[in-house]
Amino acid sequence: MKIAILSRKASLYSTRRLVEAAKQRGHEARVIDTLRCYMNVATHRPEVHYKGEILEGFDAVIPRIGASITFYGAAVLRQFEIMGVYPLNESVAISRSRDKLRSLQLLSRKGIGLPVTGFAHSPDDVDDLIKMVGGAPVVIKLLEGTQGIGVVLAETQKAAESVIEAFMGLKANILVQEYIREAGGADIRCLVVGDKVVAAMKRQAKEGEFRSNLHRGGSASLIKISPEERSTAVRAAKVMGLNVAGVDILRSNHGSVVMEVNSSPGLEGIEQATGKDVAGIIIEFIEKNAKPYKTQTRGKG
Ligand code: ADP
Ligand code: MG
């Protein structure tokens, strides 16, 4: 197979591992810088142009689209979909997963356990909004934050009110969520490929921090997850329409809840913590599933 990997940099760990795993299995893999792709979108023969050449003959495309380029990245991926190239994750599913509010609404509709979460536009009802999610402490999140940036813990009612009012004053969209203190600064990252959790790790926030993101200094270790957590993670990925996803779970005293579903999960932490060849498993999934024009939305959404 000829596989395109949409990624800003060939030297990134996940990108390198995917290239390596594809080559090991006898495939051709090429890293394509997403932002250097351009296209004529008003033609009967859809094409992607790249640094002066026309990209041709790809069987599959692996999108590794950073949060800061979601809009353009999804458009490039959609163009590959229109050309019939099989996407590991499709553009519509990636766009969905990048919006925390949209994701939670979709997950909740399918009965996936979630932290109690509120959303409001007007600062007039902030008091009631905080009550609605159970009162302080609460976690306040920017809708399109990532790597823990834009996630704030407000310990008291007063702090929560002022943070929410400040964000609203800046016209930022936010979620207000119950703080799951009993998780103790830890969450579980489940790496889902197809209908399986192929690797899981516990991420523990560093001392004095509640955010477990590895980018925020969190540390990773092995963890055994329950059969319920396993099936919840797989269902959450399915609801989002993602073949490959990093599903983050918090253990709360009302059960394990899904905090978010990531569409370009990093491979470094999880491969190192578990010793699993996740990149290889992803390439195998593509071998089994890649067919021309095989998407749920076929570039329509
Ligand atoms: P990001 O997309 O920036 O990673 P998350 O929603 O995943 O945002 O939040 C970052 C981290 O903050 C999580 O990994 C988790 O450790 C912590 N966290 C987020 N929400 C809660 C919550 N409701 N209760 C407890 N901890 C939370
Ligand atoms: Mg996260």
Side-chain angles (χ1 to χ4, degrees):
M1 280 195 301
K2 191 169 159 185
I3 303 172
I5 301 170
L6 287 180
S7 167
R8 292 301 316 280
K9 261 206 212 118
S11 60
L12 297 173
Y13 178 92
S14 305
T15 309
R16 260 195 300 122
R17 286 284 299 122
L18 287 163
V19 170
E20 200 173 274
K23 288 191 171 156
Q24 244 168 30
R25 283 166 179 72
H27 305 297
E28 194 185 318
R30 180 161 172 207
V31 178
I32 308 278
D33 178 353
T34 318
L35 294 185
R36 292 294 303 272
C37 292
Y38 50 101
M39 51 236 166
N40 177 350
V41 291
T43 162
H44 294 304
R45 266 180 49 91
E47 289 166 339
V48 173
H49 292 244
Y50 184 63
K51 300 182 180 176
E53 76 174 292
I54 296 175
L55 296 179
E56 269 168 335
F58 285 100
D59 302 290
V61 52
I62 302 180
R64 300 277 324 164
I65 295 169
S68 61
I69 64 158
T70 298
F71 182 76
Y72 196 74
V76 171
L77 181 59
R78 197 178 309 120
Q79 187 76 359
F80 276 101
E81 290 166 11
I82 294 168
M83 288 157 57
V85 181
Y86 173 77
L88 177 63
N89 278 332
E90 57 190 279
S91 55
V92 174
I94 293 174
S95 306
R96 250 182 221 142
S97 75
R98 288 290 157 79
D99 177 337
K100 288 181 199 285
L101 176 64
R102 187 175 176 190
S103 303
L104 290 178
Q105 286 178 309
L106 291 171
L107 294 168
S108 144
R109 186 172 70 182
K110 295 291 179 180
I112 307 266
L114 302 168
V116 182
T117 307
F119 177 70
H121 180 77
S122 163
D124 298 340
D125 306 303
V126 165
D127 194 34
D128 196 36
L129 179 69
I130 297 170
K131 264 197 219 120
M132 196 176 77
V133 301
V138 292
V139 174
I140 299 155
K141 299 186 188 184
L142 287 175
L143 274 198
E144 297 197 356
T146 185
Q147 303 184 343
I149 297 163
V151 178
V152 181
L153 172 61
E155 298 269 12
T156 64
Q157 171 80 20
K158 273 274 149 275
E161 279 172 22
S162 33
V163 174
I164 294 170
E165 280 163 11
F167 275 140
M168 284 179 166
L170 292 169
K171 306 250 179 286
N173 281 313
I174 50 161
L175 294 176
V176 181
Q177 197 164 67
E178 70 171 312
Y179 173 49
I180 310 225
R181 191 187 290 281
E182 59 274 22
D187 69 356
I188 302 167
R189 160 61 58 96
C190 300
L191 208 299
V192 177
V193 179
D195 55 7
K196 283 198 193 75
V197 174
V198 301
M201 66 174 167
K202 175 178 161 180
R203 299 182 304 185
Q204 178 69 53
K206 66 178 185 205
E207 192 66 32
E209 171 62 75
F210 79 103
R211 297 166 299 178
S212 64
N213 303 66
L214 302 183
H215 285 99
R216 303 267 73 73
S219 56
S221 60
L222 264 181
I223 190 169
K224 209 172 146 36
I225 61 170
S226 69
E228 291 75 31
E229 287 166 338
R230 211 166 263 284
S231 74
T232 298
V234 171
R235 278 177 55 224
K238 189 159 238 87
V239 171
M240 301 303 296
L242 294 166
N243 294 316
V244 170
V247 179
D248 295 341
I249 287 178
L250 285 171
R251 285 182 173 164
S252 84
N253 52 23
H254 53 87
S256 293
V257 292
V258 171
M259 188 174 47
E260 68 169 345
V261 182
N262 295 278
S263 55
S264 290
L267 302 185
E268 185 166 14
I270 196 115
E271 286 198 335
Q272 276 164 8
T274 64
K276 295 250 173 76
D277 175 14
V278 178
I281 297 171
I282 289 175
I283 300 296
E284 269 169 33
F285 178 86
I286 295 175
E287 288 168 357
K288 289 200 190 103
N289 290 280
K291 287 200 189 74
Y293 296 100
K294 187 177 162 190
T295 52
Q296 291 172 36
T297 52
R298 206 173 290 178
K300 283 178 191 153

